[in-house]
Amino acid sequence: MEEPAAYRFDPQTGTLHGATGRYDKRLKDLAGLYADEAAFAEAVRRDGARTVYRVDEVRPPVAHGGLIIGTTAMEPGRIGREFFLTRGHIHAIPNRPETYRGESGSGVMLLESPEGDVRVLAISPGVTVVVPPFWIHRSVNTGADRLVMTFCYPADAGQDYAIIERAGGMRLRIMDDGAGGWIAEPNRHWRGRSAEEIKAIRLAADAPQDGGPG
Ligand code: NI
């Protein structure tokens, strides 16, 4: 039986004590995500090894029925006018939800449904964003400081990153508005999803994953 546990994290750095896993996403790992490809190439040439975001997490011993908790720490920065972002995903079991709570810094959660509906929700300390089932989600650091968030989601959820690549990216991009804020602009490469793909996503809800019941 899983032991009850309490975990301490640093709201400024995102370091999660007792984490069972950590990964760093470096700038050079994020090719193809940003609108300004020339600015991206130049930024990688200057310092492609720099960390854009780091995730610390605690996974339970049994995925089905368990929760993953963790922290995301995103550095501030832009590629051209576009703020630093996470790769983004829909859950591999797409009806699994997630919460993100702002701990320090400020940013937005960019959300997109399979059908192409979009939402942009501001996140800052004391704000919890609920990512409902079936929503593609990506975080963006729109501030001048590190953005630290805590998250929680069902441990059997998994991540599907390819859904964004197939559509030519997410439908909106979060850009510097030139006046100290941000603005959501349409991604001209976005091509949406076919009725068949949308149906497959909706039918994938509760599909059994490795070891899960029936
Ligand atoms: Ni997620």
Side-chain angles (χ1 to χ4, degrees):
M1 196 162 74
E2 187 178 344
E3 187 64 25
Y7 296 94
R8 185 176 300 279
F9 67 94
D10 183 326
Q12 301 302 321
T13 64
T15 298
L16 176 60
H17 303 284
T20 61
R22 162 180 285 182
Y23 63 87
D24 284 295
K25 281 293 175 195
R26 300 175 187 281
L27 191 60
K28 60 184 167 61
D29 302 328
L30 300 171
L33 300 188
Y34 292 94
D36 189 337
E37 291 176 14
F40 178 79
E42 173 60 18
V44 168
R45 193 190 62 73
R46 279 202 312 271
D47 188 6
R50 68 177 293 189
T51 295
V52 174
Y53 60 97
R54 165 175 284 180
V55 175
D56 281 3
E57 63 177 20
V58 177
R59 286 180 183 257
V62 178
H64 188 79
L67 286 172
I68 294 172
I69 61 125
T71 57
T72 302
M74 296 190 69
E75 299 307 315
R78 290 189 321 255
I79 298 297
R81 293 177 50 234
E82 190 169 14
F83 288 107
F84 276 1
L85 46 77
T86 59
R87 178 170 293 280
H89 57 263
I90 194 168
H91 291 149
I93 304 181
N95 72 341
R96 296 300 192 258
E98 186 160 7
T99 61
Y100 283 85
R101 183 183 189 279
E103 306 292 349
S104 64
S106 59
V108 301
M109 187 66 62
L110 184 54
L111 299 122
E112 180 176 315
S113 73
E115 291 78 5
D117 296 317
V118 291
R119 303 286 186 273
V120 184
L121 297 177
I123 190 162
S124 59
V127 173
T128 296
V129 167
V130 175
V131 178
F134 295 105
W135 286 83
I136 299 162
H137 44 289
R138 159 181 287 169
S139 330
V140 183
N141 185 352
T142 57
D145 303 312
R146 183 181 292 135
L147 170 65
V148 175
M149 298 171 291
T150 46
F151 59 77
C152 182
Y153 65 99
D156 64 358
Q159 284 87 13
D160 172 0
Y161 301 96
I163 189 173
I164 296 176
E165 291 163 31
R166 280 196 303 273
M170 289 186 75
R171 193 169 192 170
L172 294 179
R173 294 187 179 279
I174 306 300
M175 316 295 279
D176 186 340
D177 69 357
W182 57 268
I183 185 169
E185 295 184 359
N187 166 16
R188 62 190 176 86
H189 295 299
W190 188 79
R191 47 187 176 264
R193 281 163 283 275
S194 66
E196 292 72 25
E197 184 176 3
I198 292 167
K199 186 177 175 192
I201 295 163
R202 295 289 178 186
L203 288 174
D206 284 319
Q209 300 285 302
D210 41 58

